[in-house]
Amino acid sequence: MWIAISALNLAFAVALGVFGAHGLKARATEIQLSWWHTATDYFFYHALGLLALGILSKVVPQLPIKLSFILIQIGIFFFCGSLYI
């Protein structure tokens, strides 16, 4: 389950990065594109962290990662979401 959620996060990060690079170029200012780029970078890095947690939970099943995973996901939503908005 955790790996699937991580994969979805990575797919969204790539899709939003592509949209920012190609779809917003004509509509956004340089500073807005910079914010979009920062949000996408952090989204991608945190999604990779979630993937690492998911893999770690498969290797060490007794490791409690649920809270860490949820907190990182909430952080992605609020931090990256605020930059995207």
Side-chain angles (χ1 to χ4, degrees):
M1 178 173 105
W2 303 118
I3 293 175
I5 294 170
S6 301
L8 286 173
N9 274 292
L10 287 165
F12 282 131
V14 170
L16 288 169
V18 169
F19 176 71
H22 300 287
L24 291 179
K25 221 170 213 178
R27 296 183 182 160
T29 65
E30 274 302 311
I31 191 74
Q32 290 169 329
L33 289 174
S34 173
W35 292 338
W36 194 274
H37 181 72
T38 300
T40 302
D41 284 349
Y42 278 99
F43 193 170
F44 191 76
Y45 298 143
H46 284 84
L48 286 175
L50 291 176
L51 180 62
L53 279 176
I55 292 170
L56 189 60
S57 75
K58 291 288 185 188
V59 174
V60 186
Q62 67 273 19
L63 189 67
I65 68 154
K66 185 176 182 179
L67 182 61
S68 299
F69 201 93
I70 291 170
L71 290 174
I72 292 173
Q73 188 67 56
I74 290 170
I76 289 171
F77 180 76
F78 283 112
F79 179 73
C80 297
S82 68
L83 288 174
Y84 285 131
I85 291 172

